[in-house]
Amino acid sequence: MTGIVARRFLWLVLTLWAVFTVTFFLMRAVPGGPFSTERKLPEITERAIAAKYRLDDPLLSQYRDHLGAALRGDLGPSFSQLDYRVGAVIAEGLPKSLLLGGVSLLLALFLGGMAGWASALRPRSLLDTFVMGTSSLGLALPNFVIASLLVMGVAFPLSAIPVAGWGGARHLILPSLCLSLPYAASIARLLRTGLLEACSEDWFRTARAKGWSRGEALRRHALRPGSIAVVSYLGPAAAGILTGSLVIEQVFAIPGVGSHFVQAALDRDYPLAMGVVLLYSLLVGTFNLVADLAVLAIDPRGANASGGAE
Amino acid sequence: MSGKSKSVLAGTAVALLALGVLGPPGRTVPSGTVVVGLGGDPSSLDPGRVTSVRDGRLVRALFEGLTVADEETLAPLPGCAATWSVSPDQRVWSFELVEGLRWSNGDLLVAEDFRRSWLRLLDPREGCPYAHLLWCIEGARAYSEGRGDREAVGIATPTPTRLVVRLETPLPHFLALTSSFPLVPVHGPSVEASAGSALTAPSRLVSNGPYRLVERSLRERVAVERNPHSHRAAEVAVPRIEYLATESATTTLNLFLSGEVHWATAVPTTILTRLVEDPRLADACTPRPHLESAFYRVNVTRPPFDDPRVRRALSLAIDRRVLCQEITRCGEQPAATFVPWPAPALAVLAPGATPPFPEYDRSVAPASGGARHASEVAPEDWGGLLHDPERARALLAEAGFRVPGRREGAELPGFEIHYSASPLHQRVAEWLQERWREELGLEVRLRRSEGKSAIAEQRRLDYDVSRSSWVADYLDPMTFLEIFHSSAGPNRTGWADAEYDRCIEEAGRKPGGEERNRLLAAAERILLERGPIIPLWYGVTTTFVSPRLEGLGANALDQQWPARFRWTEERP
Amino acid sequence: MKPLEGPARAARSAGRSPNARALGRLMGRRTTRLALLFLAGLVLISAAAPLLPLASPAETHPEWALAPPGAGDDGAPTALCGRDALGRDLLSRIVWGARISLLTAFAASFVSLAIGVTWGAMAAWVGGWVDELMMRIVDLLFSIPFIFLVIFLGTLARGWGFTGTAANLVVFLVTLGLAYWLTMARVVHGQVVVWRGRESVQAARALGARRGAILVRHLLPNLVPVVIVTLTLTIPRILLVEAFLSYLGLGVQAPHVSWGILARDAVEVLTPIATPWWLVLFPSLAIVTTLSVLQYLGDAVRDAWSPKESY
């Protein structure tokens, strides 16, 4: 186990480096500079800015310097938030995104897990149809439509729920619900599929023949193999949900990091874009590692198989 | 369900509850606080770096220049300067500061602070975007372009409270310029200590305005409170103002409706006409003329747009009355000139109001017939001046292109409308696309671009026809007309016209008066007849203001002076 | 489910492969046939959009802006689903939007399916360092937010001269497909790893069965359900991503119209004061119905492929 973790950690570091490199050169291949102001600046000023942000150096030496600085944890000044360094931008937004994302993730697990389990317990029952229908809805409507409808239909009639903003626990209710719905729907469907798959196994039928109730047989025999797909899915999903969503942040005016993913790329804010990409990579890498370890823990035979006992 | 799964579920539920309850600490807005929906984050709080109208709103709360603009007329009133005088040749301005001015940290504010701040604005190494505002000062342009000496710039401080400025040539609007937000003083020691960044910590931002920074949270809010060291502290009625960085106009509207925002600077324009029918908003929104000219740039380096007839045809095919009544729908008025709000257009929106440039008598070039003086056109005829699809088709045919209803001529190549992201611009582009297809048989594509890249693409002349607008930097027609001088940065069309350049340059050397106006009017006529633009409309200010918030002025630049705000707790 | 009724049917299907039997079970259900019929109808209508008696989806009538559904007044022709902020006929826009949306969803999903299954199954089956490398490449691509890929590929494509309306659309489809094969690869990989470890497969190996035979006889049939379920998750997701990109203005450009653009236009005018409900309702209905049918089909397919479940 330790070996696997160590190897995966090495891969994570390598991945981060590769992401850094790919992003660095990709961003510089795209036309459109970050300092496009209404007025044309005098040449000496253009040079001063280029020197300040080191835009004129040879690409490779820029790359070397940026990599060095990044290793020391400094991603440079943001091009669009002129008073901030990238580290400060992320430090302000990330805790808020993590809080909202954490609540949403738990909510998604709770709702999705309940729904998936209830569905698998009585497939094609009224409950199953209802749950799957609702999850279809959660997956089928764009989240900006859901968010707007929730604001109109819930926040305005109920004065206790704010229409937007950040500040207290009640500000979390609508955005976390909105953020978690599609994830909950996916979890419910994956869990139901996984459980029903497992039900078709011989040992499940044997267990049922022994006179176990369906629920007990599901829990004892189907839950482990049946949740593999969910656990695999949770890796990237967790990274996505924790970094937030531009739509939710815009509709509910949440000061998280989600919007930077889009805005930094559109503004050609290279340092900030690099910062959020690295952040995302780090989260994805970590959660994938955790998810894979969890899959191994659930089904150790898979571990032996991929462990290379050829 | 088994005990184990139950405990997992219960654990999740408990964790959820705990997170929800412990969540972010609830915050309460102190009573009497005015909350402003800013429409986004300021790009900076450093007066040397700010550029946008949004940044300006914060700068006017935190800083105070030599003069401050009257909230109705924009005329300069005493600010940090108590009195001023000008030499008979109109070239030497002398300002006497108010006695005992202090920074928000208690330091004394002296004339040298202004001198240093203005030199910093001009410093070529700083690259301040608004350096050109001070190019009227002797030696300033040379220094700012790296050709001259810092000490040769004509700003002097004979006494700690006296600032003397020598201008290159007399400038009618120089005094008004001193109220513009980039010309406020900055606190030298703290700017140097922070090395140009790190203005994010309230403790480090030292300012001299009616308010001081107390909270700055990215993408959330900027909060300011009354600055006890300000010489106006006694006048400031609102103790605290919070500027929300909410980007979405719909969300801002929602916050306004639920009473959490008292002044929404950006509103959803698509259905504004429906919104203002609601009693909650009827009193909150009065569209006012804004010194903004909305137009499309045409890239004259790309055929067939090198032919002025083609450019003119595109312009004549548009019915701007429909555009303003049905598409923009916030009170904008059809444009037949580039410099906004001539009297006939103003008479439709705000009957009885004084035009922003009362002495400026321009002529318009209607679709058919010779030029007429703008003031002679009846208000009801104004909107249709530039609409003549027949003439548009005739012009295209004359230029050798095939138009609907005609068989001969070359097919006009398809082209692209380049526009920057916003629901309004999108709607306008989609409508124009359809108009040009229908009236002129043109195959028009759309290309959407995001804020910063849009300007960069214009500058590279990487477009065919591009959405643009220009807002006055100062109260003079020159602020509009100078941008199409062949050497001006914001030209961005590839258009150069020797006669136009000559008019602008000559007008720039005149202190004012009849002759200067004649030159400017001549320039504008050239621009309209063969220039690289398709004028569309004159802009309006649309904001929602709570009836309980008073002290916001109805001026043509929507510049508000937070020191004047008044808040009534109960609805009047 | 009681898919096989009567000894005759049982006997008839006994000789067929499990997948053929599953297909039989699938088509045996009336709701499935209905769902397929709906999809076929949708494809047909959107394909025939130019032939239908509809107004042009781009034709603006600002004077009738935001007219509610029903017969128009002021001489406006009837607009069954109402009109948008530019006075365009919403029904026509929904029908024309279906073309782009369906094309996007199916084309991009197909790209994702082809790449994802091949990549994931191959990695898991070969195993060892190849597996490790292939899946780390997936991780690497997963680690770059897809919005970056979309923005950069779009800008680069422009730089390479893809500027026409059709070229934009192709770039858009390919970008989406390229961004979405990763999930498929991971899910397939995870499944194959588990199945590799199964007794039946290990037994077959121990008995000396050839790799290819095991792959075809044991693995591929077992992959079908999970691939289909992932696909039914991918298609809606691509449709939603299309909507998200439209929300950002990075989706297809006018005069093209898609359901995502309609949803964005709806949200733009949705306020607690003036609610042109038709702009929200009809496009949402189109999206929800289509995606629900797709998901229902996915469920039905999966159920048909795992008939052994007991009640």
Side-chain angles (χ1 to χ4, degrees), chain B residues 44-323:
Chain B
S44 172
L45 294 185
D46 176 353
R49 275 166 223 292
V50 294
T51 46
S52 66
V53 175
R54 186 188 300 155
D55 303 343
R57 296 197 194 283
L58 278 160
V59 169
R60 269 186 285 272
L62 293 169
F63 296 91
E64 182 173 335
L66 287 175
T67 59
V68 296
D70 181 271
E71 68 265 29
E72 297 293 332
T73 63
L74 294 178
L77 304 175
C80 284
T83 58
W84 52 82
S85 60
V86 62
S87 66
D89 66 351
Q90 306 275 316
R91 284 188 52 204
V92 184
W93 287 84
S94 170
F95 297 89
E96 189 65 36
L97 299 193
V98 173
E99 283 293 331
L101 286 178
R102 287 188 184 276
W103 291 96
S104 57
N105 64 352
D107 288 0
L108 269 180
L109 191 157
V110 291
E112 179 60 24
D113 283 311
F114 272 96
R115 180 172 173 270
R116 190 163 47 182
S117 305
W118 288 11
L119 288 174
R120 171 175 179 255
L121 202 63
L122 289 166
D123 189 335
R125 288 160 306 166
E126 290 281 342
C128 295
Y130 269 113
H132 62 272
L133 287 182
L134 289 176
W135 283 358
C136 52
I137 298 174
E138 218 173 59
R141 179 162 192 174
Y143 171 52
S144 158
E145 289 181 342
R147 295 178 281 113
D149 188 29
R150 181 183 159 99
E151 297 311 315
V153 178
I155 310 172
T157 53
T159 74
T161 58
R162 177 173 289 259
L163 185 77
V164 177
V165 182
R166 293 183 62 84
L167 301 186
E168 200 88 48
T169 52
L171 190 69
H173 56 267
F174 177 73
L175 190 65
L177 215 54
T178 60
S179 71
S180 63
F181 65 81
L183 300 195
V184 300
V186 290
H187 186 246
S190 55
V191 167
E192 279 146 31
S194 69
S197 65
L199 286 158
T200 51
S203 57
R204 276 192 239 162
L205 183 79
V206 179
S207 64
N208 75 324
Y211 290 90
R212 65 193 169 88
L213 184 69
V214 291
E215 184 187 343
R216 182 166 189 199
S217 183
L218 194 62
R219 303 197 55 244
E220 187 179 352
R221 60 166 56 78
V222 177
V224 298
E225 279 178 6
R226 190 191 283 129
N227 174 10
H229 290 288
S230 162
H231 67 115
R232 300 183 182 273
E235 295 170 33
V236 175
V238 172
R240 180 183 168 99
I241 305 178
E242 292 196 355
Y243 294 86
L244 298 190
T246 312
E247 281 159 26
S248 151
T250 311
T251 305
T252 309
L253 170 72
N254 292 342
L255 287 169
F256 184 83
L257 286 172
S258 62
E260 286 169 71
V261 160
H262 310 121
W263 173 26
T265 61
V267 304
T269 55
T270 316
I271 47 162
L272 189 71
T273 40
R274 300 267 169 113
L275 295 182
V276 295
E277 289 167 10
D278 187 273
R280 282 173 289 178
L281 293 177
D283 303 337
C285 180
T286 18
R288 282 190 306 268
H290 187 221
L291 277 183
E292 177 196 12
S293 190
F295 59 102
Y296 271 22
R297 278 183 167 84
V298 184
N299 182 354
V300 305
T301 63
R302 286 191 184 174
F305 304 118
D306 52 345
D307 187 334
R309 287 171 299 190
V310 176
R311 307 198 288 262
R312 180 96 172 136
L314 289 184
S315 177
L316 293 180
I318 305 165
D319 188 347
R320 292 165 179 77
R321 284 165 299 193
V322 176
L323 177 65

Side-chain angles (χ1 to χ4, degrees), chain B residues 250 253-254 257 270-271 274-275 278 280-281 326-327 416 419 423 426 430-431 433-434 445-448 450, chain C residues 58-60 62-63 65-66 85-86 88 158 163 165 248-249 253-255 264 268-274:
Chain B
T250 311
L253 170 72
N254 292 342
L257 286 172
T270 316
I271 47 162
R274 300 267 169 113
L275 295 182
D278 187 273
R280 282 173 289 178
L281 293 177
E326 312 285 357
I327 311 290
E416 215 170 45
Y419 68 101
Q426 166 109 23
E430 285 180 13
W431 182 75
Q433 176 186 38
E434 188 61 14
R445 300 185 301 272
L446 296 190
R447 173 177 151 214
R448 175 167 162 140
E450 303 299 320
Chain C
E59 195 181 305
T60 58
E63 65 277 20
L66 295 175
L86 280 176
R88 292 174 293 204
R158 225 198 124 63
T163 50
T165 325
L248 296 176
Q253 293 282 3
R264 181 211 56 195
E268 230 158 59
V269 294
L270 193 64
T271 64
I273 288 174

Side-chain angles (χ1 to χ4, degrees), chain C residues 128-161:
Chain C
W129 65 270
V130 179
D131 177 18
E132 193 83 0
L133 181 68
M134 285 175 83
M135 292 323 283
R136 289 305 82 76
I137 290 176
V138 169
D139 283 355
L140 175 68
L141 291 174
F142 245 127
S143 306
I144 300 180
F146 89 97
I147 189 76
F148 276 74
L149 282 177
V150 174
I151 294 173
F152 288 128
L153 286 180
T155 321
L156 286 179
R158 225 198 124 63
W160 293 331

